[in-house]
Amino acid sequence: MERSIRKKIITGNWKMHKTIEQALDFVKRLIPLIQESDVQVLLAVPFTVIYPLTHEMDCSPLVIGAQNMNDASEGAFTGEIAAKMLKEAGAEFAFINRKMKRAAEEGLRPVLCLGETLEEYKEQKTEEVIQLQLEEGLKDVPNKALRQLILAYEPVWAVGTGESATPDQAQAVHHFCREWLKERLGKEAAQQIIIQYGGSVTPSNAGELLSQPDIDGLLVGGASLSLETFSQIVNDSTKKSLNI
Ligand code: PGA
């Protein structure tokens, strides 16, 4: 019941991969591969390819966003990038960390990543760590701005390691986040918020992860770089969200 109100979101995180030429080529070939898909597909790309993707081609229905941003509106920050620059370049979302307020002010959809380290995991401190990260990351943010939030649970030990959390482990943390959100926002609003899982997602574990009631999407790193694996994850996710 609860799941049907949340459309699943698959986010590809390219990290420091793909030139402008490679990105345009990839997206041009990806779109026909995922045409039948019913999930929302986001791509977090390097800064240099945001403008070409959003202005030199029609990349809909993909949503293009940034991997990082600074929380100042402007200033003498070498190598940093401001939310309004990203917005102007065509980005619609950005990964954030204590930058929630600025992202919301500039109309970027914020993706807040949470996750415990291997050491914290072994010491069974996951919930404690996640709670702190939620409290800090969402401190002073008006509840209205939180409606646009995407949370991504990304255990540090699972990112880029080939070792994913099990569906049960991930579900437990997602459920914990949902309960925290209920306390903060009330039940109805908390049920609308997307909580994605990220960390060594592949075509072989995507389906099972997405079958969990509180896993609303996936944040895919390595497997988003290949047309074959990424389109497979998107298309399998569509089947999961339609229950076929
Ligand atoms: P991965 O990366 O899928 O390569 O583990 C996840 C991420 O981008 O955070």
Side-chain angles (χ1 to χ4, degrees), residues 80 90 135 189:
E80 294 291 316
E135 279 165 6

Side-chain angles (χ1 to χ4, degrees), residues 2-16:
E2 285 189 5
R3 308 177 67 202
S4 58
I5 53 173
R6 299 190 296 269
K7 185 165 175 152
K8 292 201 189 306
I9 295 185
I10 305 296
T11 306
N13 178 15
W14 286 357
K15 305 183 185 174
M16 200 172 70

Side-chain angles (χ1 to χ4, degrees), residues 21 25 46 54 108 112 151 165 170 187 207 213 235:
E21 195 184 335
D25 180 59
T54 56
L108 282 175
L112 177 65
L151 282 182
K187 191 167 175 216
N235 291 326

Side-chain angles (χ1 to χ4, degrees), residues 11-15 95 113 154 158-162 198-202 219-224:
T11 306
N13 178 15
W14 286 357
K15 305 183 185 174
F95 293 165
C113 299
E154 301 230 288
V159 175
T161 60
S200 299
V201 172
T202 63
L219 206 160
V220 187
S224 73

